[in-house]
Amino acid sequence: ETGVTQSPTHLIKTRGQQVTLRCSSQSGHNTVSWYQQALGQGPQFIFQYYREEENGRGNFPPRFSGLQFPNYSSELNVNALELDDSALYLCASSLRLALGNEQFFGPGTRLTVL
Amino acid sequence: DAKTTQPNSMESNEEEPVHLPCNHSTISGTDYIHWYRQLPSQGPEYVIHGLTSNVNNRMASLAIAEDRKSSTLILHRATLRDAAVYYCIPISSGSARQLTFGSGTQLTVLP
């Protein structure tokens, strides 16, 4: 069973640019969530996709957008990058939305905005 | 989402039990209590979860107070690999059921 993978591992962008981060869910999982983790803080929920539809969103502006594909892989897109977008971006997949279901996290993508 | 309070940091000696407390006094009756941990340079990983009664798995035990306003994660024999930030996360029945991470407890395990 393949775990959650993310690409790229590290990325450096400049302010104003756009970035796309990718996530491959664990096999059979139909739900993916994205989190942003600033240095020294806990992860913050960005949004969640369930069966290719956005299912919930945290307190992030519209320039953060996402997609989930039929094979349940996912993308996080960030437009007009700002310095404060520098963070570790984590995706997590799960089988269903049941309260007790655990989420499986990938290793993250470290984004640096200069 | 229910608010949680955890100690910023705790220390334990290797091979000794560790009790990590969490207060979640505003938890609702249908919220599950999940614990995740994050090892250095890794994404968070699931540890255990429960609703009302105590729970055990191969990683840890979870003791939930009768009034559900607090819980304790118990590592029976801490190893160096258990050094991580531990997060207590009540999960509500909202549609997204996202994880709301607080600051967590940084556990240091001394050899």
Side-chain angles (χ1 to χ4, degrees):
Chain A
E1 186 179 82
T2 306
V4 178
T5 60
Q6 293 186 244
S7 62
T9 306
H10 295 85
L11 198 56
I12 300 175
K13 291 285 190 178
T14 57
R15 195 169 46 181
Q17 286 189 309
Q18 178 267 342
V19 68
T20 297
L21 310 181
R22 294 178 174 83
C23 172
S24 179
S25 297
Q26 187 157 318
S27 177
H29 285 184
N30 56 17
T31 303
V32 64
S33 303
W34 285 89
Y35 295 82
Q36 179 196 65
Q37 186 172 24
L39 206 58
Q41 299 183 22
Q44 300 298 307
F45 175 70
I46 302 174
F47 45 56
Q48 181 183 90
Y49 280 81
Y50 172 62
R51 293 185 174 178
E52 304 176 55
E53 298 283 334
E54 187 177 292
N55 186 61
R57 190 177 184 91
N59 189 26
F60 281 81
R63 59 189 185 85
F64 285 80
S65 63
L67 283 172
Q68 186 184 31
F69 300 101
N71 66 354
Y72 300 132
S73 64
S74 176
E75 287 182 355
L76 164 65
N77 298 290
V78 187
N79 293 322
L81 284 167
E82 301 177 359
L83 297 179
D84 284 350
D85 295 333
S86 294
L88 180 68
Y89 288 85
L90 298 156
C91 77
S93 73
S94 58
L95 179 56
R96 290 191 305 271
L97 295 179
L99 277 175
N101 276 3
E102 62 183 281
Q103 295 190 25
F104 294 82
F105 282 81
T109 293
R110 172 71 63 187
L111 173 65
T112 302
V113 182
L114 303 176
Chain B
D1 291 338
K3 287 202 147 196
T4 60
T5 303
Q6 298 179 255
N8 288 333
S9 62
M10 291 184 65
E11 272 187 5
S12 172
N13 293 319
E14 197 175 9
E15 298 192 4
E16 289 188 356
V18 182
H19 290 232
L20 297 162
C22 179
N23 285 320
H24 33 75
S25 57
T26 59
I27 195 170
S28 77
T30 56
D31 289 358
Y32 276 71
I33 300 157
H34 284 231
W35 283 78
Y36 281 74
R37 71 180 185 181
Q38 189 170 20
L39 278 65
S41 302
Q42 294 188 27
E45 67 173 347
Y46 167 84
V47 178
I48 200 168
H49 76 273
L51 183 60
T52 54
S53 55
N54 296 344
V55 184
N56 300 295
N57 66 19
R58 63 175 179 82
M59 288 181 69
S61 295
L62 177 60
I64 301 172
E66 198 169 331
D67 63 6
R68 295 197 354 110
K69 293 182 184 299
S70 66
S71 61
T72 301
L73 179 71
I74 302 165
L75 307 179
H76 294 287
R77 292 182 69 219
T79 69
L80 297 177
R81 194 197 173 274
D82 291 322
V85 179
Y86 286 78
Y87 297 97
C88 156
I89 306 173
I91 298 183
S92 70
S93 56
S95 60
R97 294 161 192 166
Q98 69 267 25
L99 300 174
T100 302
F101 290 83
S103 303
T105 297
Q106 173 69 63
L107 175 65
T108 300
V109 180
L110 305 174

